[in-house]
Amino acid sequence: MRVLVVTVGSRGDVQPYLALGTGLRAAGHDVTLATCARFRSFVTDHGLTYGHLGDEILQLLDSAAGRAAMEDTTGLLGSIRTNIRLARQANPINRGLLADVWQAARQADPEVIVYHPKALAGPHVAEKLGVPAVQAVPVPMSVATGDFPMIGMPALPLGRPYNRLTYRLAGAGYRMYDGMVNTFRQETLGLARTSGAALATRLPDGRPIPVLHAISGHVLPRPADWPGHAQLTGYWFLDGATGWQPPAELVDFLDAGEPPVYVGFGSMAGRDPQRLTRAVGEALRLAGVRGIVATGWGGLDAADLPDNVLPITQAPHDWLFPRVSAVVHHGGAGTTAAALRAGRPSVICPFILDQFFWGRRVAVLGAGSAPVPQSTLTAQRLAAAIRQVTTDADVRDAAAGLGRRITAEDGVASAVARIEAAVA
């Protein structure tokens, strides 16, 4: 079976789909992963065929304007402000991505298309080719429920009607792209206009598009009001980084004392990464712990760190997290999953959107502290949270138990079986 997997965004938006792609390849399928050009070698190094998508959306988000706008993307009003601020630059980029997905599909000649909903062209290209479409997401953003509000919307004590309303509000936001997608359908694909084009939910024959959530049911129980086409598969982990070996400095640091606390915010740094770095260094000092700080994509400044903290660019989470005492991170879906599987408690410092959701979930599960939002982060608040997760036996036991349950799952295998069933 020929499979086209399409995703758009940062490394966190790519890695779980690469894990899924390698699982599909191991099951005997030919897989093309179409994503931004920045990740071409990331894809090909794992043995998958690369499908080209433009990098312009990442360049926009990496810009000063993009970083500032993303920090404001909290709640409905924040999302509206962000869309308005970035629309002039983002609209031509999205039109280019629509065309790129179509070109990648023509080259891959797929028998099924698996797509992130940010890849707006996915279901429409599948319709043009007459093949099934399967939506795949690492966060619960596509299927309405009364259990919790839409990602990015405030968690208000207004009950299930409010929670379901938030999904309708988010769907209204997607409609601003309907005209663009319908133009693509008509002028590029030769298809008729359709309602709700930017957030397609049904196949041409009227059946719902299957939605696979790369989430463990131990972390987020499946909502009872979800329809049958929405499923949790378990997390999609990409283990054993190709050709990676730990540097001697990192190994020596780990061996030189008690397990350190890991701090890393992925591609998040905010408007003032130097302030954030100073707060992290001081928090580790106040908590009386050693630290490993991943400067990586987030732009943290290694020069501002104390002597008992080792700066690294990055290290595979599946290798490093079991070797630390706790994980301080931004709350991205992938990093949260990796920390939980390692059985290590988290301190989540959310910046935007789903990071607040995962921060609340980890706290509810007892596997970490209450979230410490980056907008209100101080050295004192962060130090208190670090002390809690490194000394509270209940938190450490909850994290360890959850890690054992997640380790027993095989989310990739479950997703592969469901994709095969959708085609069959």
Side-chain angles (χ1 to χ4, degrees), residues 115-401:
Y115 69 98
H116 189 294
K118 287 193 292 187
L120 302 176
H124 309 289
V125 170
E127 179 182 345
K128 173 65 176 179
L129 297 177
V131 301
V134 177
Q135 187 184 125
V137 287
V139 296
M141 58 179 285
S142 299
V143 184
T145 177
D147 286 6
F148 46 81
M150 172 70 180
I151 294 298
M153 300 293 284
L156 302 178
L158 300 177
R160 300 180 68 83
Y162 163 76
N163 289 341
R164 296 191 69 86
L165 173 63
T166 63
Y167 292 86
R168 292 198 293 274
L169 294 173
Y174 258 90
R175 292 191 193 110
M176 68 182 292
Y177 300 107
D178 280 354
M180 177 191 303
V181 177
N182 269 317
T183 298
F184 169 72
R185 282 177 60 89
Q186 291 179 296
E187 297 182 359
T188 302
L189 302 182
L191 299 174
R193 294 177 64 86
T194 186
S195 62
L199 192 61
T201 59
R202 294 195 173 273
L203 300 166
D205 63 6
R207 289 178 298 146
I209 295 174
V211 183
L212 304 182
H213 297 82
I215 304 169
S216 170
H218 298 299
V219 176
L220 181 72
R222 184 181 184 277
D225 58 353
W226 268 6
H229 69 274
Q231 297 295 329
L232 300 172
T233 64
Y235 289 121
W236 304 342
F237 290 112
L238 183 68
D239 292 331
T242 303
W244 188 84
Q245 292 292 326
E249 184 182 27
L250 175 57
V251 175
D252 291 344
F253 185 82
L254 289 167
D255 291 341
E258 292 296 317
V261 171
Y262 169 91
V263 183
F265 300 121
S267 58
M268 299 285 141
R271 294 182 175 94
D272 190 354
Q274 286 74 30
R275 177 198 70 83
L276 189 57
T277 305
R278 289 192 297 272
V280 165
E282 178 65 6
L284 292 170
R285 186 190 68 78
L286 291 172
V289 297
R290 303 193 312 144
I292 292 176
V293 172
T295 59
W297 311 289
L300 296 180
D301 188 352
D304 288 337
L305 296 171
D307 292 339
N308 67 333
V309 177
L310 176 70
I312 62 173
T313 302
Q314 59 174 304
H317 292 166
D318 63 298
W319 185 91
L320 182 57
F321 284 2
R323 292 170 167 84
V324 303
S325 60
V327 183
V328 179
H329 58 100
H330 57 300
T335 308
T336 301
L340 292 173
R341 182 178 63 160
R344 298 299 182 260
S346 287
V347 176
I348 293 181
C349 305
F351 288 70
I352 59 171
L353 298 174
D354 65 304
Q355 298 165 10
F356 291 90
F357 178 84
W358 297 122
R360 292 192 296 269
R361 282 304 307 160
V362 167
V364 167
L365 294 166
S369 70
V372 183
Q374 66 82 28
S375 59
T376 58
L377 185 150
T378 64
Q380 291 73 24
R381 291 191 66 198
L382 182 56
I386 291 173
R387 281 194 295 267
Q388 177 193 358
V389 301
T390 54
T391 61
D392 189 319
D394 290 338
V395 172
R396 300 188 65 77
D397 288 346

Side-chain angles (χ1 to χ4, degrees), residues 3-9 32-37 50-57 92-110 112-129 131-134 180-181 184-185 188-189:
V3 184
L4 174 63
V5 180
V6 188
T7 184
V8 178
T32 297
L33 175 54
T35 192
C36 299
Y50 172 73
H52 172 80
L53 302 184
D55 246 356
E56 292 81 2
I57 192 67
I93 293 173
N94 281 322
R95 283 192 288 270
L97 286 170
L98 291 167
D100 286 345
V101 172
W102 173 229
Q103 179 63 25
R106 287 192 291 177
Q107 293 175 347
D109 189 24
V112 60
I113 295 178
V114 182
Y115 69 98
H116 189 294
K118 287 193 292 187
L120 302 176
H124 309 289
V125 170
E127 179 182 345
K128 173 65 176 179
L129 297 177
V131 301
V134 177
M180 177 191 303
V181 177
F184 169 72
R185 282 177 60 89
T188 302
L189 302 182

